[in-house]
């Protein structure tokens, strides 16, 4: 199978590197500056176990695709989804499958509308990694290494099995789920809780843990998000105990943990606020569910974008 990975940032670089390590045929579709860097230095991934993988990779830029690919890993930020879809369109054939590694759930409907539901798989990953200033990718020490894929209609398919085999050959355990959308909503719940907590406080977990009102604030956000997703028909799954895990993340005074939303704000980059927190606020309003903390978090992110001069 031929794999096209759109983006060689934290997730795209990590997943692509692991696929190559397992023997897969992988090409990266990247912007010009990243293409130059990868050709010069190779793709460098530093794992949480202390390994450093340096791989020479195949790269193409928009307009340079050489035919269709069997699997496209979509590893862009949610706010870049529209140009990303245009970029991968020439790589798509009737048998191509898109594996989107994006936060939230809204992108599934967008991709189905653009490419047809038969080409879109559900996917979630909870692998923490960051793109460093030198272009290398550093996997964090937070060991929640969960990745799942599945057909949107719940059927088992040979293409999901093949993708699972390729990723596991490189060292990424993968679960094939017959209810992938349920799992994606579970991740969406956790992501939104973490992002709302961090964006409202503009702080890492350790500082929140030390704040006198930190624990009660974390609980209030979790309670509100639970109420919203339950009203929308996607209650948190008891088996995952996500609320307890989220509380635990923000209870350690020495922790430097920060969700991707906070890291983007710290670095002055655009955020996925509208595509995650904003999406949940809009769904809550449509269901006539009050969500004052989520609304405050959305406003916080909107003003952040205004102050940084951004439009996304």
């Amino acid at each position: 199978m031929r794999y096209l990975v759109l983006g060689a940032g934290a997730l795209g670089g990590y997943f692509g590197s692991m696929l190559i390590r397992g023997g897969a045929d992988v090409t990266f579709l990247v912007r010009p500056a990243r293409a130059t860097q990868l050709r010069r230095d190779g793709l460098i991934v530093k794992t949480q176990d202390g390994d450093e993988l340096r791989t020479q990779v195949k790269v193409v830029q928009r307009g340079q695709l050489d035919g269709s690919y069997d699997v496209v890993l979509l590893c862009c930020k949610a706010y870049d989804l529209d140009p990303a879809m245009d970029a991968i369109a020439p790589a798509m054939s009737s048998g191509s499958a898109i594996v989107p590694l994006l936060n939230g759930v809204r992108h599934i409907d967008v991709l189905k509308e653009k490419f047809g539901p038969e080409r879109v798989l559900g996917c979630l990953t909870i692998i923490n990694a960051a793109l460093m200033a030198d272009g290398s990718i550093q996997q964090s020490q937070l060991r929640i290494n969960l990745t799942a894929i599945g057909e949107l209609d719940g059927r088992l398919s040979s293409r999901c099995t093949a993708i699972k085999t390729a990723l596991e050959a490189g060292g990424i355990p993968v679960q094939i789920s017959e209810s992938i959308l349920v799992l994606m909503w579970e991740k969406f719940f956790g992501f939104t809780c973490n992002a709302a907590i961090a964006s409202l406080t503009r702080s890492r977990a350790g500082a929140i843990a030390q704040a006198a009102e930190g624990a009660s604030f974390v609980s209030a956000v979790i309670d509100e998000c639970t109420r919203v997703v339950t009203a929308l028909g996607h209650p948190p799954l008891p088996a995952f105990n996500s609320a307890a895990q989220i509380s635990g993340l923000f209870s350690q005074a020495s922790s430097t943990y920060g969700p991707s939303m906070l890291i983007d704000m710290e670095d002055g980059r655009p955020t996925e606020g509208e595509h995650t927190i904003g999406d949940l606020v809009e769904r809550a309003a449509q269901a006539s569910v009050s969500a004052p903390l989520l609304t405050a978090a959305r406003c916080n992110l909107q003003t952040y974008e205004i102050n940084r001069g951004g439009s996304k």
Side-chain angles (χ1 to χ4, degrees), residues 279-292:
D279 182 35
L280 196 57
V281 168
E282 291 178 2
R283 292 174 189 264
Q286 292 168 4
S288 300
V289 180
S290 175

Side-chain angles (χ1 to χ4, degrees), residues 4 6 28-32 35 39 59-66 80-90 114:
L4 179 69
L6 182 136
F28 290 88
L29 174 57
V30 294
R31 294 187 174 98
R39 291 189 181 106
V59 297
V60 295
Q61 298 171 43
R62 185 168 178 168
Q64 298 178 342
L65 290 168
D66 56 344
D80 281 332
L81 181 58
D82 286 343
M85 291 191 299
D86 291 339
I88 67 170
K114 174 76 173 180

